[in-house]
Amino acid sequence: GLQRAPCRYADLHPLWQSELSVSGGTRQSPINIQWRDSVYDPHLKPLKIHYDPTTCLYIWNNGYSFQVEFDDSADKSVIMGGPLENHYRLKQFHFHWGAINEWGSEHMVDSKVYPAELHLVHWNPVTSTSFEEAIMENNGLVVIGVFLKLGAHHAGLQKLVDALPAVKHKDTIVEFDVFDPSCLMPSCPDYWTYDGSLTTPPLTESVTWIIKKTPIEVDQNQLEEFRMLLFTSAGEEEKRMVDNFRPLQPLMNRTVRSSFR
Ligand SMILES: O=C1NC(=O)[C@@H](c2ccccc2)S1
Ligand SMILES: [Zn+2]
């Protein structure tokens, strides 16, 4: 398959420069999902998603992605079922993407890379009292990964894209009051799941990953809008926000389970 962009560590965003020597990690993310090595698990239930669009708060540029934050003070936007033992609250979603369509996603499927990947980040309110605490808990988090592929215009995503010019620079924020992230979910229920980690510092091994098998389609203009964001603050020398993905990590002693045969 296509090779990823040569990863010139010197060009890595400061964020990842520190992570190159994470020692002792046994369940790091992202990984290359080898379809033939994944194991169908008949006990995996369908994933149940109930997002309340009014829990959407704002969009902001945090210097390595743009993030849509949700009110997680109650069980209003939650997921359950799938591989999960209880419900998890939606905290935020964000994306990772490349400078060009040949790369950008964090996970790969049989070494196939997608131009972008959506991450919906949830935390376990049963074992933690806050998102910040859940980051440090074993399996405190669930991240749903959805691949984006180049294709038709995505009407639901466009509402998000239209807000991006308002968060062009690092640490800018704009109100975003009603949005249902379910519109970004593919209709196919199939997913892979494995135990992994955050893909940015603190890289804690606290994430149950649920990676949807089927990508959603977005068009070229929408991907190019992502690439017009900046890593840098207003007044600094501009650095385009692109290639904000972590390199692949070793599978080590893990099995990826699939919800489908
Ligand atoms: O899925 C992931 N993507 C990221 O940027 C990582 C992260 C780090 C901290 C909080 C939320 C997410 S973990
Ligand atoms: Zn992410």
Side-chain angles (χ1 to χ4, degrees), residues 49-59 67-79 88-93 120-123 159 174-182:
I49 296 174
H50 301 284
Y51 292 151
D52 173 349
T54 65
T55 56
C56 188
L57 295 172
Y58 54 83
I59 306 179
Q67 206 148 290
V68 182
E69 299 282 344
F70 287 76
D71 169 11
D72 62 347
S73 59
D75 290 339
K76 286 186 178 176
S77 287
V78 294
I79 57 168
Y88 285 67
R89 283 185 197 164
L90 176 66
K91 167 72 177 152
Q92 51 104 326
F93 70 81
L120 297 126
V121 182
H122 310 74
W123 61 279
K159 193 178 168 208
V174 67
E175 193 190 352
F176 199 64
D177 45 5
V178 179
F179 183 79
D180 180 356
S182 309

Side-chain angles (χ1 to χ4, degrees), residues 58-70 91-97 119 121 131 160 164 167 172-174 176 200 229 241:
Y58 54 83
I59 306 179
W60 68 298
N61 177 330
N62 61 14
Y64 53 88
S65 184
F66 68 93
Q67 206 148 290
V68 182
E69 299 282 344
F70 287 76
K91 167 72 177 152
Q92 51 104 326
F93 70 81
H94 62 272
F95 297 79
H96 303 262
W97 61 90
H119 287 160
V121 182
F131 170 71
L160 206 49
L164 294 186
V167 288
T172 51
I173 182 169
V174 67
F176 199 64
T200 60
L229 293 167
M241 184 180 275

Side-chain angles (χ1 to χ4, degrees), residues 92-222:
Q92 51 104 326
F93 70 81
H94 62 272
F95 297 79
H96 303 262
W97 61 90
I100 61 173
N101 298 342
E102 312 327 301
W103 60 74
S105 62
E106 297 213 300
H107 291 86
M108 296 189 189
V109 180
D110 292 342
S111 301
K112 175 186 173 51
V113 66
Y114 289 89
E117 184 173 333
L118 160 64
H119 287 160
L120 297 126
V121 182
H122 310 74
W123 61 279
N124 187 335
V126 171
T127 56
S128 300
T129 58
S130 72
F131 170 71
E132 288 70 23
E133 186 190 304
I135 285 184
M136 309 314 285
E137 291 279 320
N138 192 26
N139 298 335
L141 300 179
V142 168
V143 182
I144 299 177
V146 180
F147 294 117
L148 275 63
K149 72 178 254 194
L150 183 65
H153 179 79
H154 195 296
L157 183 72
Q158 193 54 36
K159 193 178 168 208
L160 206 49
V161 168
D162 289 339
L164 294 186
V167 288
K168 186 178 172 75
H169 292 98
K170 179 181 178 191
D171 295 330
T172 51
I173 182 169
V174 67
E175 193 190 352
F176 199 64
D177 45 5
V178 179
F179 183 79
D180 180 356
S182 309
C183 78
L184 300 174
M185 260 331 138
S187 52
C188 175
D190 296 347
Y191 63 85
W192 289 282
T193 183
Y194 79 97
D195 293 339
S197 74
L198 297 180
T199 62
T200 60
L203 300 170
T204 44
E205 298 184 333
S206 55
V207 180
T208 299
W209 280 93
I210 296 174
I211 306 286
K212 300 293 284 184
K213 181 186 81 173
T214 306
I216 58 171
E217 291 191 19
V218 300
D219 69 20
Q220 184 65 27
N221 292 334
Q222 293 178 310

